[in-house]
Amino acid sequence: MSNTRNLQQKLQTEIVELTKSINEIISNFKQLKNPIQESQVKVPMATNQLDKISEQTEAATNHMLDLIENISIREEEVIKGLTAIKKLMPKDNEKINNLLDGVIEKTNINVNDAFTIMNALQFQDITSQQMNHAASLLEEIETKLTQICTVFGIDPETSEEEPRDKKERVYDPHADLYEKKTEQKDVDSMFDQVKK
Amino acid sequence: MGDFKILAVDDSPTMRRIIINTLKRAGYQDVIEAQDGKDALAKLKVEKVNFIITDWNMPEMDGLTFVSTLRSMEEYKNLPVLMVTTRSVKEDIVEAMKAGVNNYIVKPFTPDTLKAKIEQILAS
């Protein structure tokens, strides 16, 4: 009899403890519910923002490329024109010839600088890959949040933003403007070794 | 460089424009473009190309699959291919070599490197 009573008492204590724990879990979960719902809206918003940055940077870069190409064409026309003028000028007019040479030289520098700026715009391809990588990580988090909501029966928070189609994201996870995993000279050595 | 035609394959319109401008400045005036491997294979059906510059990370068909596909086709077995990509992990470079690229440039590249690599491939 006393054994049974002991067991009953132990069981009662365990049930009380268990109820306390369950209440604690429910209370914690209630606290988590709102941030989870909030994140379900904010994570896709962050992904959208990254996509917007990518698209707008690409548009701006292409506009810059248009301008650079036009500048180069105009500057090359200026060089041609000045060279033609120089040919028409009397050879002995040293002052004008020197002046023309100076302008041609400066115009050539402008063309080269425009070309250097154009090459620097390669950053857009690299940063776009980095943003695609970040967006893809956010999409993974979004999927996991949805799974948590499904498991715990949390209603998804409705967003004011239009639902977007999932993009196919292609990127190199190591794309970097300044740090290459293998430097070009080492790539060259690898190819040289194969040739030998 | 009369009939010499280069095909530049890259999904980034910015990169394609930079590559094409660099090639034209280096004297290669005849350059056509494609946005991925699938598009490039379609272009190759209608245009005779002497040299290919391709990116790796592209939708539809990536550069590696594109090069492997080319090497499996008799007519493109020996067509020079230069890969220009951000991928700089050693294992990736080895994979590209196995797929059959003739040379490899890590982005961002300098115009001199691009010109030198093309000349190097054509000389070999």
Side-chain angles (χ1 to χ4, degrees):
Chain A
M1 274 300 270
S2 74
N3 270 353
T4 313
R5 202 169 294 142
N6 274 348
L7 195 67
Q8 267 181 341
Q9 271 176 349
K10 264 188 186 174
L11 208 61
Q12 265 179 344
T13 321
E14 286 299 321
I15 288 170
V16 169
E17 285 302 313
L18 199 64
T19 312
K20 268 189 202 167
S21 295
I22 289 169
N23 281 335
E24 222 169 281
I25 290 169
I26 290 170
S27 149
N28 285 342
F29 182 67
K30 275 182 182 162
Q31 281 175 28
L32 269 177
K33 193 182 162 187
N34 283 347
I36 287 175
Q37 279 180 322
E38 211 176 295
S39 303
Q40 257 208 312
V41 175
K42 285 190 176 163
V43 170
M45 270 167 72
T47 315
N48 278 347
Q49 280 303 108
L50 285 176
D51 284 341
K52 256 189 215 169
I53 298 170
S54 256
E55 284 160 18
Q56 291 179 4
T57 313
E58 186 179 335
T61 310
N62 275 306
H63 182 53
M64 279 192 263
L65 275 169
D66 288 340
L67 296 174
I68 293 166
E69 281 171 3
N70 290 338
I71 289 171
S72 302
I73 291 167
R74 282 198 302 271
E75 291 293 72
E76 268 153 19
E77 279 168 6
V78 170
I79 295 169
K80 270 186 202 160
L82 290 171
T83 312
I85 292 170
K86 211 184 145 195
K87 275 183 191 160
L88 296 172
M89 292 304 293
K91 294 254 185 300
D92 55 355
N93 198 332
E94 207 177 311
K95 232 178 181 178
I96 290 183
N97 275 319
N98 286 344
L99 198 66
L100 284 171
D101 282 341
V103 180
I104 290 171
E105 195 191 325
K106 285 198 171 73
T107 313
N108 265 319
I109 293 170
N110 285 347
V111 174
N112 289 336
D113 284 352
F115 188 62
T116 305
I117 295 169
M118 185 197 74
N119 265 290
L121 295 178
Q122 287 182 61
F123 85 90
Q124 190 273 325
D125 175 43
I126 293 162
T127 54
S128 158
Q129 291 194 51
Q130 289 168 334
M131 276 184 276
N132 261 328
H133 186 198
S136 148
L137 293 174
L138 284 170
E139 279 171 347
E140 264 179 48
I141 294 170
E142 191 186 335
T143 308
K144 280 176 186 152
L145 282 171
T146 308
Q147 284 168 352
I148 292 171
C149 288
T150 310
V151 168
F152 290 104
I154 301 172
D155 292 330
E157 192 95 332
T158 46
S159 163
E160 284 173 14
E161 290 199 10
E162 286 275 310
R164 65 197 151 68
D165 293 329
K166 284 257 157 79
K167 277 171 73 172
E168 188 194 351
R169 299 189 185 279
V170 282
Y171 57 86
D172 165 16
H174 304 290
D176 200 296
L177 198 51
Y178 304 109
E179 277 178 32
K180 295 173 180 174
K181 294 275 172 197
T182 313
E183 289 300 325
Q184 188 61 49
K185 61 174 172 50
D186 299 319
V187 176
D188 296 347
S189 309
M190 287 169 76
F191 275 84
D192 288 345
Q193 275 174 357
V194 170
K195 275 173 206 156
K196 280 174 196 168
Chain B
M1 292 171 215
D3 293 330
F4 195 82
K5 191 178 278 180
I6 299 180
L7 170 63
V9 192
D10 201 305
D11 59 326
S12 157
T14 309
M15 275 315 299
R16 289 203 300 271
R17 282 179 80 174
I18 294 171
I19 289 170
I20 291 169
N21 273 305
T22 308
L23 290 172
K24 289 194 170 169
R25 204 173 145 95
Y28 301 100
Q29 299 301 324
D30 201 357
V31 188
I32 57 168
E33 54 186 297
Q35 60 186 14
D36 56 47
K38 205 175 155 189
D39 187 23
L41 286 173
K43 292 265 159 73
L44 284 172
K45 278 185 184 164
V46 288
E47 303 247 20
K48 194 190 172 314
V49 163
N50 307 90
F51 198 100
I52 292 177
I53 294 171
T54 184
D55 184 21
W56 182 320
N57 293 101
M58 295 180 288
E60 297 286 340
M61 185 190 281
D62 65 45
L64 202 70
T65 313
F66 170 53
V67 177
S68 304
T69 308
L70 279 182
R71 294 309 183 220
S72 69
M73 299 161 90
E74 196 52 42
E75 64 227 276
Y76 305 123
K77 228 174 167 175
N78 298 313
L79 184 64
V81 178
L82 171 62
M83 186 164 263
V84 181
T85 172
T86 54
R87 295 182 90 108
S88 62
V89 174
K90 226 168 220 165
E91 289 74 16
D92 287 342
I93 300 161
V94 172
E95 216 180 323
M97 280 172 153
K98 283 181 187 164
V101 303
N102 296 81
N103 221 314
Y104 196 100
I105 294 177
V106 181
K107 287 178 190 169
F109 63 87
T110 65
D112 288 345
T113 308
L114 184 67
K115 195 176 172 227
K117 287 289 166 216
I118 295 173
E119 284 167 3
Q120 199 182 323
I121 293 172
L122 293 176
S124 64

